[in-house]
Amino acid sequence: AQTVTQSQPEMSVQEAETVTLSCTYDTSENNYYLFWYKQPPSRQMILVIRQEAYKQQNATENRFSVNFQKAAKSFSLKISDSQLGDTAMYFCAFWGSTGTYKYIFGTGTRLKVLA
Amino acid sequence: GAVVSQHPSRVICKSGTSVKIECRSLDFQATTMFWYRQFPKQSLMLMATSNEGSKATYEQGVEKDKFLINHASLTLSTLTVTSAHPEDSSFYICSARVRDQETQYFGPGTRLLVL
C-alpha cells in the first residue's frame, strides 16, 4: 500500500526567505503523480504544484518548486521569497495510475511566515 | 477554470435531523467526485468516492447508511448526513476530477455543527 509521510508538523520562516517542506512516499508503482496542496485559514484546498513521476524535470510554479528524487521517493517543496499569504497547511499527496483514483495524503505541515 | 462549489458553507442543525450538502463542478464535467472529512488540525480523511450514475464506494469504517452519497449528474454530487449527532460535527470537503485526469479540484468545504 502507498504511504505518504510529512515529517515536519510545523515550520516557520521569515518573510522573503526560502523554506523547504519535506515529503517522502512509498509505492511499488512506476507511473504516478505527486501533488502539493495548500490549505490557508479559509480551509480552501488550493493546488500548488504537481509532478509526473515519469518526468525527470522538477516542476516549478513561480515561487514554488519541487525537488523530486524518484529513487529516494522524496518530493520536497521549496518556497522562495516567502510571503505572509503563504501561511497555511501544506499537504503532500500521491496518486497512482493503477489505483482507485483516490489521493493518499500526508499529515500536513503547518507553515507560518513571520513578518 | 476547474471550479468546484459547495453549499451550504456552514450549517447548524439539531440532533436527529438530516443535512444535505451539495458539491458542484461549475465549469467542467466531473466523472468522479470525492467526499472528505477533516478534523481540526488534521489531514483530509476520504469518506467515499462516487462516480456519475453509479453507487458510491465507501472507505472502511464509514457508515454508508449514515452518509448517503448521490452523484446523479456530471456536475452534481450530494452528501446527506442522516440522523445527525454531535459527533458528526466536522468540516466536510468535496473534490472532483475529470475522466482520465489525475488532478482533483476541491470545493471550499462545509462546516457542520450538530447541536
Side-chain angles (χ1 to χ4, degrees), chain A residues 37 39 44 50 103 106, chain B residues 38 43 59 102-104 106:
Chain A
Y37 280 90
Q39 189 180 41
Q44 167 75 62
R50 73 175 200 173
Y103 282 173
Chain B
Q38 187 180 33
S43 188
E59 295 298 301
E102 66 294 330
T103 303
Q104 290 183 27
F106 288 82

Side-chain angles (χ1 to χ4, degrees), chain B residues 10-113:
Chain B
R10 59 178 61 193
V11 56
I12 301 172
C13 68
K14 293 182 178 180
S15 185
T17 61
S18 294
V19 175
K20 180 184 284 188
I21 302 170
E22 292 187 348
C23 177
R24 293 181 184 273
S25 56
L26 299 184
D27 52 3
F28 66 101
Q29 293 186 327
T31 50
T32 307
M33 288 185 168
F34 303 86
W35 286 95
Y36 296 87
R37 184 172 179 177
Q38 187 180 33
F39 293 102
K41 297 187 178 182
Q42 293 190 22
S43 188
L44 280 69
M45 181 187 77
L46 180 65
M47 299 175 64
T49 302
S50 73
N51 292 295
E52 185 265 337
S54 61
K55 289 184 178 181
T57 301
Y58 290 82
E59 295 298 301
Q60 192 171 11
V62 178
E63 300 177 59
K64 60 182 179 182
D65 294 330
K66 181 165 189 62
F67 299 100
L68 300 179
I69 291 171
N70 183 278
H71 191 166
S73 78
L74 285 171
T75 59
L76 174 64
S77 177
T78 59
L79 167 67
T80 300
V81 183
T82 62
S83 186
H85 289 98
E87 56 265 31
D88 298 324
S89 298
S90 193
F91 192 67
Y92 294 87
I93 306 174
C94 74
S95 71
R97 65 177 282 273
V98 179
R99 187 194 307 276
D100 297 333
Q101 292 190 16
E102 66 294 330
T103 303
Q104 290 183 27
Y105 300 95
F106 288 82
T110 296
R111 189 179 304 276
L112 170 63
L113 178 61

Side-chain angles (χ1 to χ4, degrees), chain A residues 34-74:
Chain A
L34 295 161
F35 304 84
W36 280 99
Y37 280 90
K38 167 185 176 180
Q39 189 180 41
S42 68
R43 303 188 79 171
Q44 167 75 62
M45 293 283 284
I46 301 167
L47 176 65
V48 175
I49 201 165
R50 73 175 200 173
Q51 175 79 43
E52 299 163 80
Y54 65 86
K55 287 190 176 180
Q56 291 186 340
Q57 187 173 8
N58 289 326
T60 62
E61 286 288 345
N62 301 314
R63 298 182 295 108
F64 298 89
S65 62
V66 298
N67 183 2
F68 174 48
Q69 302 289 329
K70 190 173 183 179
K73 295 179 181 172
S74 170

Side-chain angles (χ1 to χ4, degrees), chain A:
Chain A
Q2 293 92 350
T3 59
V4 176
T5 301
Q6 292 180 251
S7 58
Q8 305 152 315
E10 293 187 0
M11 295 188 72
S12 62
V13 62
Q14 289 293 135
E15 197 175 7
E17 297 295 307
T18 296
V19 64
T20 299
L21 282 59
S22 67
C23 172
T24 58
Y25 59 95
D26 191 22
T27 184
S28 57
E29 297 194 39
N30 198 44
N31 187 23
Y32 51 88
Y33 288 77
L34 295 161
F35 304 84
W36 280 99
Y37 280 90
K38 167 185 176 180
Q39 189 180 41
S42 68
R43 303 188 79 171
Q44 167 75 62
M45 293 283 284
I46 301 167
L47 176 65
V48 175
I49 201 165
R50 73 175 200 173
Q51 175 79 43
E52 299 163 80
Y54 65 86
K55 287 190 176 180
Q56 291 186 340
Q57 187 173 8
N58 289 326
T60 62
E61 286 288 345
N62 301 314
R63 298 182 295 108
F64 298 89
S65 62
V66 298
N67 183 2
F68 174 48
Q69 302 289 329
K70 190 173 183 179
K73 295 179 181 172
S74 170
F75 182 61
S76 61
L77 174 70
K78 185 171 85 170
I79 306 174
S80 304
D81 185 24
S82 297
Q83 300 176 0
L84 295 178
D86 295 333
T87 293
M89 278 288 285
Y90 286 82
F91 293 101
C92 178
F94 171 97
W95 182 88
S97 60
T98 59
T100 55
Y101 307 122
K102 60 185 181 182
Y103 282 173
I104 307 299
F105 279 101
T107 52
T109 295
R110 184 173 301 278
L111 175 68
K112 188 168 185 178
V113 180
L114 306 171

